[in-house]
Amino acid sequence: MTHRLNVLVTGGAGYIGSHAVLALLEAGHHPVVIDNLVTGFRWAVAKDAVFYEGDISDTELIQRIIHEQGIDAIMHFAGSVVVPESVQDPLKYYNNNTVKSRSLIESAISHGVRHMIFSSTAATYGIPESSPVREDMPTIPINPYGTSKLMTEMMLRDVAAAHDFNFCALRYFNVAGADPLCRTGQSTVGATHLLKIAVEAALGKRASVSVFGTDYATADGTGVRDYIHVSDLASAHVIALEALVADPKTSHTLNCGYGHGYSVMQVLDAVDRVTNNKLERKMEGRRAGDPDALISDNKAIKATFGWEPKYDDLDQIVQHALAWERRLTDIQTA
Ligand code: UDP
């Protein structure tokens, strides 16, 4: 067991970051959150975590936190995540995801923080030549979001080669679900992700769900994705953290997914099963830039860290997402 680590969690008030904070607390570590609350929520941060409101580009604040809290490692979630927005406003993405990451990495290097876990994405692959996609396959992003994250991976690689510093970049596939104890979940206003939209529709917050494309080269013609429960993703971060500390010479770039996928129809069928109701589905054209299937090869993360998912069950993911969506309604109307 690794000793108690003081971990700076950037974006810890956001969807994945707030789950990582819970996982760190459960593993006996000490999370310290920095979040500018542009898309995150103060209430999403567990009470046992220290909270600083601010921006990761504020180098004086980061320096102060590192010293005040004796930070050992950084989990870096803060950034912008909406793919179509990245196409409309690429400079926002290169600033929030690349330039500000550079600033954070520099703060880490100059103030003695030697480990970083980085929130990367399957969008770094672009449209992969085949699925499941392995980490050594070509990374050719097709949007500024993917490029902005890949550029940060590259910086981390070069910095780790030059300094006493190691990192783990985790390339997330489709993150879904919510904390099984319903303490936090996907709370973004105007979210565009399939399961979030489907549970909103199931609770009557939307009239129907659009199915984007029915002529893909998949079994039922709709897009296939590898949906991973956010709590399994959070646990991968804690294992990665402990591995970076245990072996400070080694860095990693690893996929984070279940290694199998579900189509849009299968996801909507699961929501129907769980709610015992029928969502109205509107068949629409393809969304620009969507690949037929995007499935992780997760052999590397399993072999490297011994990571084993606990919630690899679509119906359970849907149940947790739905429970959280109900809870969110109460929070928003309170
Ligand atoms: N999708 C859909 N309707 C929606 C949102 C998404 O049919 O309202 C499809 C999308 O085309 C893709 C899959 O669901 O095949 C997952 O999309 P999402 O936006 O959740 O994640 P992405 O894979 O784009 O990161």
Side-chain angles (χ1 to χ4, degrees), residues 268-282:
L268 300 181
D269 288 346
V271 175
D272 286 351
R273 262 196 311 277
V274 169
T275 57
N276 200 19
N277 219 319
K278 279 229 159 300
L279 287 171
E280 190 185 334
R281 307 174 188 196
K282 284 213 165 123

Side-chain angles (χ1 to χ4, degrees), residues 174 192-194 197 209-212 223 225 227 264 287 290:
N174 287 62
T192 58
H193 289 128
L194 176 64
I197 284 176
V209 180
S210 300
V211 176
F212 295 138
R225 297 289 182 274
Y227 295 90
V264 174
R287 207 170 56 175
D290 271 352

